[in-house]
Amino acid sequence: MPLPPARGPLSAATIAALVGADSNDLAAQSESLIVTPGSAVDFFADEDAQLTLTLLYELHLRGIVGVDDGLQWDPGLMTVLAGLERHLDRAIDAAIGPISVPAEAASYTVGELVRRTVDDDTAGVSVHVRDRATVGELTELLIHRSLYQLREADLHTFGIPRIGGRAKAALIEIQADEYGGGSLPRMHSTLFADTMAEFGLQTGYMYYLPVVPAITLAGLNVLSRFGLHRTHVGELIGHLCAIEMTSSLPSGRYVRGLTRLGASPRARRFYDEHIEADAAHEQIAMRDLVGGWVDSDPVRGAAVLRGAAAFLALEDRIGTHLLDSWSTGKSSLVAPVPS
Ligand SMILES: [Fe+2]
Ligand SMILES: [Fe+2]
C-alpha cells in the first residue's frame, strides 16, 4: 500500500512513527490525539482516526511501501491500535444496538435480518445504479469499492485456521470460489480489476486510499477488527454471511445498470459472476458455516448476528453518503481523483 497523506494530527504522528520516529512517544500522546466524538457512531466519520486504523491494520496485511515490515507487532503502534479499537467497538455497538438471540434461532435470525435489507427493491445504491446513475457516479462507486474488492476474501480467510469441522469446510468452499479456484483470471479481485480497467481506473492495491472518505475506510476497518482478532471470529462469520446474502440480487441490478450505460461484457463480468456464485454462497454460509459454527451456542449466535449487523450498518451509512452526495451534485470522494 502506498503511504497516503495524513488527515490530522494522529495520522500525521502515526505516519512519522511508521517511517522512523519513536513509536513509544506516539503511544504516550495518542490518547490525547484521539478526538472523543459527540456520539459513539461519529467515530466512523473521523477522517484522522479511520485513516490511522487503516494504516495500522495494513501492517498485518500486505504492508506499506517504505515502512519496515518488522513493525507489525511494534508495542508502541499496538498501543495506539488498541486505543482506536476501543472507540471502534463502541461505534459498532452504538450503530447496531443490543443483540440477543436464542441459539437454535441463530441461523434463521441472521437470515431474517439480512433479507429485510436485500428485499428492498425501491431504494439503495444498486437500485440507483440500475435506474439512473451516471458514468461519473458509477466510476466513484468503483473507487469506493476498490479498496475492499481488490483484496476480496482476504480478511475472511483469517477465519479458516480458527474454526473446525463443518463450518471450516464451508468457509473453504466459499473462499475457494472467491479466489477463482486458484485461477488468477477468475479470482473475484481480478474480475473487479477488469471492471475498473474498462472504466479507465487504476487497479493498484489501495491506489485510491487518499480519495475515499472515513466512512468507506470504517467499513474496511470493521472487517479488519473482526478478521485480525481471534476473539471476533463469530463476527467475522456473520460479516461474511451478510455479504453473501446481500450480493446476488444487487449484482443483478448492477448488471442492468452497466448494460444501460453501454458497458462491455468484460466490464459486467464481476457482477455477472456474483449473481450465481453468491446465490450458492448464501446457502452454504447460512446452512453450513453459520449452522456448523453456532451449533446451539447462544454466545456464538449473538457474535454472528453482531458481525452481520455491523456489516449492514456500515453498508447503510456508506450508501447514504453516496446517494446524499450525488443527489446534491457533489462528489462522494474527499479529494480529486489522481489521473
Ligand atoms: Fe466474490
Ligand atoms: Fe461470494
Side-chain angles (χ1 to χ4, degrees):
M1 183 175 93
L3 204 52
R7 297 190 190 179
L10 179 62
S11 53
T14 301
I15 289 169
L18 288 173
V19 296
D22 188 340
S23 64
N24 291 314
D25 292 345
L26 170 66
Q29 59 173 325
S30 63
E31 275 302 322
S32 66
L33 293 177
I34 300 173
V35 177
T36 303
S39 76
V41 292
D42 291 344
F43 186 70
F44 289 144
D46 184 326
E47 300 287 345
D48 196 23
Q50 294 300 333
L51 180 65
T52 304
L53 270 169
T54 301
L55 287 165
L56 294 174
Y57 281 138
E58 192 59 35
L59 295 175
H60 299 266
L61 299 169
R62 300 194 200 180
I64 305 169
V65 176
V67 173
D68 180 2
D69 286 336
L71 291 176
Q72 180 179 1
W73 301 108
D74 178 84
L77 295 173
M78 298 291 282
T79 300
V80 179
L81 180 59
L84 287 165
E85 286 180 327
R86 282 192 287 277
H87 287 276
L88 189 65
D89 290 347
R90 278 197 286 270
I92 292 169
D93 289 331
I96 66 181
I99 297 273
S100 80
V101 59
E104 64 278 11
S107 298
Y108 171 81
T109 311
V110 173
E112 286 308 301
L113 176 69
V114 177
R115 250 181 215 107
R116 275 205 297 273
T117 304
V118 179
D119 286 346
D120 185 354
D121 200 32
T122 59
V125 175
S126 66
V127 170
H128 180 78
V129 169
R130 181 191 65 192
D131 295 342
R132 55 192 167 273
T134 64
V135 170
E137 290 169 349
L138 182 66
T139 303
E140 280 192 12
L141 177 66
L142 294 175
I143 288 171
H144 283 273
R145 296 295 187 201
S146 68
L147 275 68
Y148 171 77
Q149 300 297 169
L150 293 177
R151 67 182 188 201
E152 182 177 339
D154 287 353
L155 267 301
H156 296 107
T157 302
F158 281 97
I160 293 175
R162 295 173 178 158
I163 61 178
R166 184 158 63 103
K168 185 189 199 81
L171 181 52
I172 291 170
E173 184 177 3
I174 292 170
Q175 296 301 89
D177 279 351
E178 305 297 344
Y179 291 121
S183 162
L184 178 61
R186 290 173 42 230
M187 284 176 67
H188 290 183
S189 53
T190 304
L191 299 181
F192 194 80
D194 290 345
T195 301
M196 294 182 74
E198 290 284 302
F199 281 84
L201 293 169
Q202 300 290 325
T203 59
Y205 180 77
M206 300 295 270
Y207 179 83
Y208 290 110
L209 173 61
V211 305
V212 301
I215 189 62
T216 299
L217 298 181
L220 291 181
N221 293 334
V222 166
L223 174 55
S224 295
R225 174 78 175 120
F226 296 158
L228 294 171
H229 292 263
R230 189 171 64 82
T231 48
H232 290 301
V233 70
E235 281 94 334
L236 186 69
I237 288 170
H239 189 282
L240 177 59
C241 190
I243 285 180
E244 300 299 350
M245 295 186 70
T246 53
S247 171
S248 182
L249 283 176
S251 290
R253 296 180 196 132
Y254 288 124
V255 168
R256 288 172 63 184
L258 285 160
T259 304
R260 178 178 60 78
L261 291 167
S264 69
R266 181 172 182 251
R268 299 196 303 258
R269 193 161 157 230
F270 171 85
Y271 292 105
D272 271 329
E273 173 74 18
H274 281 86
I275 295 173
E276 276 193 35
D278 285 343
H281 291 170
E282 172 182 341
Q283 299 304 317
I284 300 165
M286 286 297 304
R287 187 185 59 229
D288 295 318
L289 177 57
V290 172
W293 193 76
V294 171
D295 193 24
S296 303
D297 182 331
V299 175
R300 288 185 170 191
V304 168
L305 277 182
R306 183 171 182 266
F311 168 74
L312 294 174
L314 265 298
E315 280 296 289
D316 188 54
R317 280 175 164 72
I318 293 165
T320 299
H321 169 72
L322 292 173
L323 296 176
D324 284 354
S325 301
W326 296 338
S327 71
T328 52
K330 290 190 293 205
S331 169
S332 62
L333 304 170
V334 293
V337 176
S339 54

